Amino acid sequence: MTRMENTVPEPRDAIIVESVEKSFGAVKALRGISFTAPAGSVLGVLGPNGAGKITTVSVLSTLVRPDAGRAMVAGYDVVRRPNEVRASIMLTGQYAALDEMLTGRENLVLFARLLGLRRKPAHARADELLEQFALTDAADRRVGQYSGGMRRRIDIACGLVRPPRVVFLDEPTTGLDPVSRQSLWALVRDLKQRGVTVLLTTQYLEEADALSDNIIVVDHGTVIAEGTADQLKARSGSSYCEVVPVDAADVPRLVTALTGLGEVTVAESADRVSLPAPDGAATLTEALHRINSGGIELIDIALRRPSLDEVFIELTKPVKESV
């Protein structure tokens, strides 16, 4: 396998962002954003549209120069050492940047030759990547005939012709079917096992939950929350018990039966109730005992934890101004 020689020792943090600011005219895209990503980890970046995610990736990949602050990638300053940064990273956007008239193999060889590999090593690297990404059978088909999942795989494979130290994946599974999405998830995990640092921006919160070692939530150009998925979920409260009766008309009876066990909340849909479950399964067992004693038939009763979706909505909801 082709190896990239490190010109500097591998830093503890592969990505360092300190008080970075960036404006486009009167629009302040980044307002002193700061975060780090340890080497060999996956950092999930969440945020609503216009939060500053794309600008952050653009700064880190040297596509945009910051107005203030400092950003380091793979040990290099993005302003002072942009060439070294570019030689250390891979950037994949939401849409595949491929020549659709060329075959998968030809695209890979083209990228390899542009990166300085001679003809024979370029073909050898292309064959290696085609096998790694399960594209050998489609190697000699034009990319324009590929499915969405295959196009995404060949796009990422082209970015890995020269093994990077840091990979930026900007919403890589947008528009993919569930099977292709799982395939991309497996790729991210493989990159991490190889010691590659991955910065993943995504609109799919379950994706960040499943893949990220750490997550930052960005809004209005700054980090408003940071932590593991479990730590962020804990901000929205502990586990809770959700109860769904067969007949929505039984919801008032459910409230009565569960009174005293905790604060019972009726859903906006008025077809289910929930209550805190600080004791976990013990709370669930007691709730079920009371419901059975009341003769109320259920569709479902379950112990649940706050989802990352709930955390995201809570963190990024607009603040109401006082009158």
Side-chain angles (χ1 to χ4, degrees):
M1 176 180 290
T2 304
R3 299 285 183 185
M4 190 182 93
E5 295 183 2
N6 295 335
T7 56
V8 296
E10 189 69 35
R12 177 181 178 275
D13 290 319
I15 300 173
I16 301 173
V17 178
E18 296 177 345
S19 304
V20 168
E21 300 178 10
K22 181 61 185 179
S23 296
F24 299 98
V27 178
K28 292 185 177 181
L30 299 179
R31 304 168 181 258
I33 190 170
S34 299
F35 62 88
T36 61
S41 69
V42 178
L43 175 66
V45 181
L46 306 179
N49 292 333
K53 303 187 300 297
I54 294 177
T55 303
T56 299
V57 172
S58 297
V59 167
L60 292 174
S61 56
T62 75
L63 296 176
V64 170
R65 186 183 180 96
D67 297 332
R70 183 176 76 118
M72 304 280 291
V73 175
Y76 300 110
D77 188 291
V78 300
V79 174
R80 297 176 181 175
R81 307 284 294 278
N83 292 335
E84 288 87 345
V85 171
R86 294 171 195 144
S88 303
I89 67 173
M90 183 197 91
L91 171 62
T92 296
Q94 298 178 34
Y95 305 101
L98 303 166
D99 188 327
E100 296 189 357
M101 298 301 295
L102 299 180
T103 67
R105 188 191 309 278
E106 288 169 341
N107 269 281
L108 284 165
V109 171
L110 174 62
F111 272 77
R113 295 303 301 271
L114 289 173
L115 289 171
L117 273 68
R118 293 185 177 275
R119 185 175 181 278
K120 188 173 181 179
H123 280 268
R125 182 59 175 156
D127 289 341
E128 181 180 13
L129 288 166
L130 287 166
E131 181 177 357
Q132 180 182 341
F133 284 82
L135 289 168
T136 301
D137 291 343
D140 297 314
R141 285 166 48 192
R142 288 193 298 109
V143 167
Q145 300 173 336
Y146 280 15
S147 67
M150 293 168 64
R151 289 165 61 89
R152 177 56 69 203
R153 296 207 305 275
I154 193 68
D155 184 40
I156 294 177
C158 286
L160 296 176
V161 165
R162 178 170 54 192
R165 293 161 64 183
V166 178
V167 169
F168 299 104
L169 297 179
D170 181 21
E171 301 187 18
T173 60
T174 296
L176 296 188
D177 61 80
V179 174
S180 297
R181 185 172 298 157
Q182 289 292 329
S183 176
L184 261 295
W185 288 14
L187 170 63
V188 173
R189 295 187 179 105
D190 181 65
L191 288 171
K192 177 185 172 181
Q193 289 179 353
R194 294 169 183 263
V196 177
T197 306
V198 179
L199 186 148
L200 170 71
T201 71
T202 179
Q203 295 288 356
Y204 300 110
L205 303 190
E206 76 277 11
E207 188 164 85
D209 196 347
L211 298 176
S212 303
D213 297 299
N214 201 47
I215 296 171
I216 61 172
V217 182
V218 178
D219 198 12
H220 295 97
T222 189
V223 175
I224 61 172
E226 181 175 3
T228 64
D230 286 342
Q231 288 171 339
L232 292 177
K233 290 174 186 177
R235 295 179 59 152
S236 290
S238 58
S239 300
Y240 63 96
C241 184
E242 185 177 64
V243 187
V244 185
V246 171
D247 187 349
D250 284 332
V251 165
R253 294 176 59 201
L254 273 177
V255 174
T256 300
L258 298 173
T259 297
L261 190 57
E263 183 180 354
V264 182
T265 302
V266 179
E268 290 185 8
S269 57
D271 65 344
R272 66 193 63 200
V273 303
S274 62
L275 70 155
D279 298 324
T283 303
L284 179 66
T285 301
E286 176 61 22
L288 187 58
H289 172 71
R290 293 186 180 200
I291 292 166
N292 286 336
S293 297
I296 304 171
E297 292 187 74
L298 302 180
I299 292 177
D300 186 35
I301 180 170
L303 191 65
R304 306 195 189 282
R305 298 178 60 202
S307 68
L308 206 52
D309 298 63
E310 293 171 312
V311 175
F312 180 80
I313 292 170
E314 179 66 25
L315 288 171
T316 59
K317 66 182 180 183
V319 177
K320 294 182 179 180
E321 297 182 1
S322 57
V323 180

